[in-house]
Amino acid sequence: MNLANAITIARIFLVPVIIFILLVRWDLPPLRLGEYSVSWNQLIATVVFVVAASTDKLDGYIARSHRMETNLGKLLDPLADKLLNASVLISLVEMRKLAAWIAIVIISREFAVTGLRQLALLEGKVIPADKWGKWKTATQIVAIIAIMLNNFPFLFIDFPFDLIASWTAAGVTIVSGVVYFVKNRDLLRFPRHRP
């Protein structure tokens, strides 16, 4: 296993750490800044989440610059992103900080594209992440951070950035899923049986 793949796997192992920090109740007063307040578990989970999300760029850079790109990496990298983001989204729904339909839309798309990737594997193909997939991941990360930080610093100007970011993430996620299926529609054609 090369360094790039090891970093990707480390990102996967950070998922339960983030969920544990988010969902376990701490008997500590929240951090306050005027009208703004955030619980310590959300703050620490956000820091760990940012570290985990940052490894996505790092493993990709290492793989490309040192010619370590492998089929395993092409499969693990998007899987790690899906596990990280989906787990945190479900946790935010549990915490009543995110509408369930947004998490359902995002996670449903992830299952659909993962199914498409499995189908491609049966045909001996690997579907790498494209620019839409990267934008999808970026918008989800921004939305998650905004929600976990209770809309900081936009709360001070009464601007619902966290809500707008979550809607944007859902929209980009849907579009990216459609793009994947359109670009790989040949995988969905039924084989023609000749008499």
Side-chain angles (χ1 to χ4, degrees):
M1 177 180 299
N2 62 39
L3 178 60
N5 290 347
I7 292 171
T8 303
I9 290 172
R11 183 158 77 254
I12 294 172
F13 279 109
L14 280 176
V15 171
V17 175
I18 296 168
I19 303 313
F20 176 81
I21 294 170
L22 260 184
L23 296 182
V24 172
R25 293 180 180 267
W26 298 14
D27 291 326
L28 293 172
L31 177 65
R32 296 190 182 278
L33 185 60
E35 297 179 1
Y36 174 77
S37 72
V38 63
S39 66
W40 282 101
N41 62 321
Q42 285 177 233
L43 191 60
I44 294 171
T46 303
V47 172
V48 180
F49 175 78
V50 169
V51 170
S54 299
T55 64
D56 183 29
K57 293 290 184 188
L58 180 61
D59 61 11
Y61 171 76
I62 290 173
R64 286 187 301 273
S65 62
H66 296 283
R67 295 181 179 165
M68 293 181 178
E69 291 178 296
T70 63
N71 284 342
L72 176 64
K74 289 177 183 177
L75 289 173
L76 280 181
D77 186 58
L79 177 63
D81 294 336
K82 288 172 174 54
L83 285 173
L84 178 64
N85 291 354
S87 299
V88 176
L89 289 169
I90 292 169
S91 299
L92 292 174
V93 171
E94 169 71 17
M95 297 167 71
R96 300 187 178 184
K97 292 186 171 293
L98 178 69
W101 73 265
I102 292 178
I104 291 168
V105 164
I106 291 173
I107 294 169
S108 296
R109 179 268 185 204
E110 305 298 13
F111 274 113
V113 172
T114 298
L116 184 66
R117 282 197 164 101
Q118 293 295 323
L119 188 59
L121 277 178
L122 294 175
E123 299 289 327
K125 301 177 182 176
V126 174
I127 303 175
D130 66 3
K131 65 179 181 180
W132 276 102
K134 294 181 188 305
W135 291 343
K136 176 267 304 180
T137 301
T139 56
Q140 288 178 13
I141 289 170
V142 169
I144 287 169
I145 292 171
I147 295 168
M148 285 205 294
L149 291 179
N150 294 341
N151 201 33
F152 180 85
F154 300 97
L155 177 80
F156 295 113
I157 57 172
D158 200 27
F159 180 69
F161 178 80
D162 54 349
L163 180 63
I164 294 168
S166 61
W167 278 67
T168 301
V172 173
T173 298
I174 292 169
V175 171
S176 71
V178 171
V179 169
Y180 270 110
F181 275 87
V182 169
K183 284 172 65 175
N184 298 283
R185 59 188 176 277
D186 57 304
L187 293 171
L188 304 175
R189 291 179 182 157
F190 293 102
R192 294 180 180 177
H193 297 285
R194 294 183 180 178

